[in-house]
Amino acid sequence: SLVRGATIPGPSCYWHTRHVGCRMTTVKVLIVEDESRFAATLTLGLQAEGFVVVHADNGVEGLWGATENSFGVIGLDSMVP
């Protein structure tokens, strides 16, 4: 199932934020990875940098997540089932 991550509170001015008018939005990242330990490490690292992270653990969930939501970045394991 898709697991939603949390963001770090407060605005940041790192390269992964976009200015939209007078507000800033955080980029959402979809990670499609079947190895849970690697996915957890990626998720924690990206969340620590302020990204909103969604994890899909197989190709079907990844495809559904990518078509039903808007992501700024999609990280895809090329060998995912």
Side-chain angles (χ1 to χ4, degrees):
S1 66
L2 293 178
V3 179
R4 301 204 187 286
T7 61
I8 295 176
S12 60
C13 294
Y14 296 108
W15 60 274
H16 55 76
T17 55
R18 294 178 288 160
H19 293 278
V20 179
C22 294
R23 62 187 167 97
M24 298 172 73
T25 60
T26 302
V27 175
K28 287 175 45 178
V29 178
L30 172 63
I31 297 174
V32 184
E33 173 60 60
D34 59 332
E35 293 188 30
S36 60
R37 294 177 99 189
F38 183 61
T41 301
L42 281 174
T43 299
L44 289 174
L46 290 169
Q47 287 175 345
E49 292 296 322
F51 289 94
V52 174
V53 180
V54 177
H55 170 238
D57 61 5
N58 62 56
V60 173
E61 288 183 1
L63 179 61
W64 179 84
T67 58
E68 295 295 318
N69 298 286
S70 177
F71 293 97
V73 177
I74 297 176
L76 177 62
D77 178 353
S78 62
M79 301 291 288
V80 75

